[in-house]
């Protein structure tokens, strides 16, 4: 027999249940996914990410580099280095008695740009860097030629702009080459061939104008003011016709979730963006210094080359007391060196 107390308690529980059933869903409480379901979704996401990365890896390793990519990188190498070669080839027109000073202006800004690149390149897109390089190229020709004629300081400023432009373009485009098929092997070969021909073209241009009696610096550079426009067009043709592959960081899916968020590239929807890696300034410095076996060898090679060009060849001539003969020897010796370098360099790698 049910007491009045039990009946009241039962009636109260049923009333409370009815209230819960009639209450809005948000008042009852939101559904919370189980930890197991969250873990499964995380694993599925990592597997999808791994599959996409493997597909990109397959693209970079097996697909043959398109001809248009090879042509564009060759043109970019030619245009990027032609400005630098013109400045060094015209060193005697800028300062006949201080050729080494012109070479210092042509080397120091570029070296500083490349040395600082590990600390800020990942914060600037390839497009923004190449825009800066294009503007610097235009300033270089204008300051070293029509604007700075007869004013050594302004001409040296133009040479410095050219140095920074060449280094910025080279470091950016060589990094971008790795985002193309075959891990950028043929793209880098095309770039190297283009930079080699820039030496032939640059010294040949200065030598030709000197033979024609138009060796003044303003004439040499004024006729090349269209090069910055061609440089920008070649870059945009490259990234528009054949966009680079997304950023790939090997084995990123095997890291923990927190590390994965910090290691994966940001902005992968825009494939022309560099990889953004969360590294401290100290870690970046250690990484840069770790490249000393390569950078040290390159420094030794270029130091010997520039010492020969700005020192020995700038002072030689037959007869040595004739200034015009010394100027001619500087141009002819450098042109012969560039021809030898281009034709004996392994440019055939492009066509393999």
């Amino acid at each position: 027999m049910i007491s009045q107390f039990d009946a009241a308690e039962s009636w109260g529980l049923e009333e409370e249940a009815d209230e819960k059933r009639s209450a809005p869903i948000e008042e009852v409480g939101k559904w919370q996914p189980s930890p197991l379901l969250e873990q499964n979704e995380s694993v599925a996401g990592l597997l999808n990410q791994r599959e996409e990365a493997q597909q990109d890896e397959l693209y970079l390793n097996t697909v043959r580099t398109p001809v248009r990519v090879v042509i564009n990188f060759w043109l970019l190498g030619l245009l990027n280095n032609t400005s630098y070669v013109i400045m060094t080839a015209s060193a005697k027109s800028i300062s006949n008695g201080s050729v080494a000073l012109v070479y210092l202006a042509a080397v120091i800004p570029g070296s500083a740009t490349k040395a600082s690149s590990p600390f800020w390149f990942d914060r600037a897109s390839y497009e923004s860097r190449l825009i800066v390089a294009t503007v610097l190229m235009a300033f270089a020709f204008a300051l070293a030629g029509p604007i700075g004629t007869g004013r050594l300081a302004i001409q040296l400023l133009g040479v410095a702009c050219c140095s920074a432009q060449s280094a910025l373009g080279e470091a950016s485009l060589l990094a971008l080459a790795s985002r193309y098929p075959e891990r950028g092997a043929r793209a880098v070969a095309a770039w190297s061939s283009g930079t080699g021909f820039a030496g032939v073209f640059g010294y040949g241009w200065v030598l030709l104008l000197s033979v024609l009696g138009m060796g003044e610096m303003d004439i040499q550079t004024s006729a090349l003011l269209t090069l910055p426009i061609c440089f920008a067009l070649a870059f945009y043709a490259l990234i528009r016709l054949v966009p680079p592959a997304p950023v790939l960081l090997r084995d990123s899916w095997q890291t923990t979730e927190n590390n994965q968020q910090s290691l994966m590239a940001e902005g992968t929807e825009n494939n022309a963006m560099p990889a953004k890696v969360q590294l401290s300034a100290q870690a970046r410095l250690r990484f840069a210094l770790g490249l000393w076996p390569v950078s040290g060898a390159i420094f030794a090679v270029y130091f010997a080359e520039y010492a020969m060009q700005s020192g020995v060849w700038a002072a030689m001539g037959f007869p040595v007391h004739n200034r015009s003969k010394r100027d001619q020897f500087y141009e002819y010796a450098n042109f012969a060196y560039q021809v030898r370098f281009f034709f004996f360099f392994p440019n055939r790698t492009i066509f393999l």
Side-chain angles (χ1 to χ4, degrees), residues 276-293:
K276 289 187 178 181
V277 180
Q278 301 298 328
L279 290 176
S280 64
Q282 185 177 5
R284 293 170 188 261
L285 180 60
R286 284 200 305 268
F287 176 80
L289 294 178
L291 300 175
W292 70 265

Side-chain angles (χ1 to χ4, degrees), residues 107-124:
V107 171
I108 293 177
S111 300
T113 300
K114 292 181 179 179
S116 64
S117 62
F119 301 95
W120 62 276
F121 263 30
D122 63 321
R123 295 177 172 85

Side-chain angles (χ1 to χ4, degrees), residues 21-280:
R21 280 193 297 268
S22 62
I25 296 177
E26 58 270 14
E27 293 182 5
V28 174
K30 295 182 179 180
W31 174 81
Q32 298 293 333
S34 66
L36 181 60
L37 183 58
E38 289 183 344
Q39 183 178 2
N40 291 337
E41 289 180 349
S42 178
V43 172
L46 291 176
L47 290 176
N48 290 335
Q49 181 186 355
R50 180 175 183 176
E51 183 179 354
E52 292 175 0
Q54 288 175 339
Q55 291 175 354
D56 293 332
E57 189 88 8
L58 184 66
Y59 166 76
L60 291 176
N61 289 329
T62 61
V63 177
R64 186 173 177 82
T65 307
V67 175
R68 65 184 68 179
V69 172
V70 174
I71 294 174
N72 274 90
F73 269 99
W74 191 89
L75 288 174
L76 287 168
L78 169 64
L79 296 170
N80 186 76
N81 273 39
T82 292
S83 59
Y84 180 85
V85 175
I86 293 292
M87 297 302 170
T88 56
S90 305
K92 287 216 164 193
S93 299
I94 296 175
S95 178
N96 191 280
S98 302
V99 175
L101 186 62
V102 178
Y103 271 80
L104 287 175
V107 171
I108 293 177
S111 300
T113 300
K114 292 181 179 179
S116 64
S117 62
F119 301 95
W120 62 276
F121 263 30
D122 63 321
R123 295 177 172 85
S125 67
Y126 291 106
E127 185 175 358
S128 61
R129 281 184 260 158
L130 268 296
I131 290 175
V132 173
T134 301
V135 173
L136 287 173
M137 186 187 296
F139 276 140
F141 284 134
L143 293 174
I147 296 177
T149 301
R151 292 178 286 182
L152 180 59
I154 295 179
Q155 286 186 307
L156 290 178
L157 179 60
V159 176
C161 289
C162 175
S163 175
Q165 166 262 308
S166 179
L168 183 60
E170 181 176 79
S172 300
L173 289 168
L174 285 178
L176 184 63
S178 65
R179 309 267 289 275
Y180 284 92
E182 301 174 274
R183 286 291 175 190
R186 278 157 56 86
V188 171
W191 168 273
S192 300
S193 178
T195 58
F197 189 72
V200 178
F201 175 78
Y203 276 99
W205 173 263
V206 173
L207 184 61
L208 176 62
L209 292 181
S210 297
V211 171
L212 296 176
M214 297 183 293
E216 293 81 6
M217 189 64 183
D218 55 342
I219 298 177
Q220 294 173 1
T221 56
S222 296
L224 298 174
L225 285 173
T226 56
L227 285 185
I229 300 175
C230 297
F231 181 69
L233 291 176
F235 172 70
Y236 278 107
L238 173 67
I239 62 174
R240 294 294 185 269
L241 295 177
V242 187
V247 180
L248 290 180
L249 297 176
R250 292 177 178 271
D251 300 330
S252 58
W253 55 81
Q254 296 177 0
T255 61
T256 63
E257 184 176 355
N258 291 334
N259 289 337
Q260 179 192 357
Q261 295 298 325
S262 62
L263 287 176
M264 286 304 296
E266 298 178 10
T268 52
E269 293 182 358
N270 182 2
N271 293 346
M273 286 293 295
K276 289 187 178 181
V277 180
Q278 301 298 328
L279 290 176
S280 64

